[in-house]
Amino acid sequence: MAYGLLKGKRGIISGALDEYSIAWKVALKCYEEGATLVLTNAPVALRVGDLPRLSEACQAPIIAADATNVNDLENLWSESQRVLGGKVDFVLHSIGMSPNIRKGRPYGDLNYDWFLKTLDISALSFHKLLQTAEKQDAIAEYGSVVALSYIAAQRSFPEYTDMSQAKAMLESIARSYGYRYGKLRKVRVNTVSQSPTKTTAGTGVGDFDAFFAYAEHLSPLGNASAEACADYIVTLFSDLTRSVTMQNLYHDGGFSAVGITPELMDRIK
């Protein structure tokens, strides 16, 4: 059921790769709620993903942009305002990648050039996105920016390796830029810490199935789905959450607040 929560609003959704992506679900939900959209991803992702199908479903143009490249981001903002017909009301940052994880390097043997690439793609790109938006005054007053995070920013998950540091940086940027943008334009900036989700990127983390099952057993509501995450993010884009900013918001079925459960104790007895 649609509620018209984003009727008349304009948004940018980054990072959708295929139908399993959280960003894909967010785009569909935003369109259903009345928003007009621009979709963006890096040129390399556009070659391997299925974004044209989402573009057609949402009647949303695609603007290629490498989120680590300031010139690309400047063009993204200027072109988005042109095709949308005004300032942007909401943005989803769903961008993350670790070359070390992809190439199987353990945490004690990281390639540091790749580590810096992880931080650039997965966290510093968020600052670049916000800074280029600010310089163009591209986000409307009371706009909303959301980035996807994970609880490994606060807790140790060995298989998450250098992405843990990237997510910690991402959340720190949300707080720092959230204060700045709130004072400047009343723009709110938050991160959402989602359950482990069976996306193309998520399943690339080592031992993902065991990881997913553990969280499912620990969370009183079970793992939150990508569709449920999209619903939650829509509320953060809407006018219903105008006073929520600088927060890392857990959307994880209660996982972050639970220490142990009887089900898990039975399994380890």
Side-chain angles (χ1 to χ4, degrees), residues 130-145:
L130 291 164
Q131 180 170 282
T132 50
E134 179 194 330
K135 288 183 176 180
Q136 291 190 28
D137 192 19
I139 302 179
E141 191 173 73
Y142 286 105
S144 175
V145 184

Side-chain angles (χ1 to χ4, degrees), residues 182-263:
K183 297 292 285 186
L184 285 171
R185 293 286 293 163
K186 300 188 186 303
V187 171
R188 55 204 195 269
V189 183
N190 295 289
T191 55
V192 170
S193 187
Q194 164 71 355
S195 298
T197 309
K198 292 183 178 181
T199 63
T200 301
T203 53
V205 176
D207 295 325
F208 178 84
D209 288 342
F211 196 33
F212 184 89
Y214 168 74
E216 179 75 17
H217 285 298
L218 196 66
S219 308
L221 298 181
N223 289 324
S225 68
E227 290 82 359
C229 187
D231 287 336
Y232 185 49
I233 288 170
V234 163
T235 69
L236 296 174
F237 288 160
S238 78
D239 292 336
L240 298 178
T241 52
R242 280 193 168 195
S243 295
V244 180
T245 194
M246 301 167 60
Q247 302 300 308
N248 179 54
L249 301 162
Y250 289 103
H251 185 261
D252 62 2
F255 176 87
S256 53
V258 177
I260 192 67
T261 65
E263 292 87 352

Side-chain angles (χ1 to χ4, degrees), residues 8-203:
K9 292 190 181 294
R10 310 174 180 101
I12 298 174
I13 305 296
S14 73
L17 186 66
D18 55 35
E19 62 186 316
Y20 302 104
S21 305
I22 292 173
W24 187 288
K25 311 290 188 185
V26 173
L28 290 173
K29 181 59 65 172
C30 289
Y31 179 69
E32 181 183 333
E33 291 295 331
T36 53
L37 303 172
V38 161
L39 304 174
T40 185
N41 212 327
V44 64
L46 294 179
R47 290 195 293 270
V48 301
D50 198 18
L51 202 57
R53 184 158 61 92
L54 180 62
S55 172
E56 182 178 356
C58 296
Q59 300 180 40
I62 299 169
I63 301 175
D66 178 347
T68 67
N69 185 301
V70 169
N71 291 333
D72 279 12
L73 292 173
E74 288 172 343
N75 179 68
L76 172 64
W77 286 114
S78 60
E79 280 297 294
S80 294
Q81 290 176 89
R82 184 185 66 80
V83 301
L84 292 172
K87 296 184 189 300
V88 175
D89 297 293
F90 62 87
V91 185
L92 177 69
H93 179 283
S94 179
I95 301 166
M97 194 277 286
S98 165
N100 279 296
I101 290 177
R102 281 196 173 186
K103 298 179 182 183
R105 294 293 286 264
Y107 192 68
D109 188 32
L110 291 182
N111 178 305
Y112 290 119
D113 289 334
W114 296 350
F115 189 5
L116 291 174
K117 194 68 175 174
T118 299
L119 297 178
D120 193 20
I121 294 170
S122 309
L124 192 55
S125 65
F126 192 39
H127 193 283
K128 292 175 182 178
L129 183 73
L130 291 164
Q131 180 170 282
T132 50
E134 179 194 330
K135 288 183 176 180
Q136 291 190 28
D137 192 19
I139 302 179
E141 191 173 73
Y142 286 105
S144 175
V145 184
V146 173
L148 294 179
S149 189
Y150 186 59
I151 196 172
Q154 285 85 32
R155 299 184 189 175
S156 176
F157 289 83
E159 296 297 331
Y160 213 64
T161 72
D162 58 349
M163 279 297 293
S164 299
Q165 280 75 65
K167 293 302 187 184
M169 181 186 289
L170 183 83
E171 292 177 13
S172 180
I173 290 168
R175 288 187 291 271
S176 296
Y177 229 117
Y179 178 82
R180 177 179 178 83
Y181 230 150
K183 297 292 285 186
L184 285 171
R185 293 286 293 163
K186 300 188 186 303
V187 171
R188 55 204 195 269
V189 183
N190 295 289
T191 55
V192 170
S193 187
Q194 164 71 355
S195 298
T197 309
K198 292 183 178 181
T199 63
T200 301
T203 53

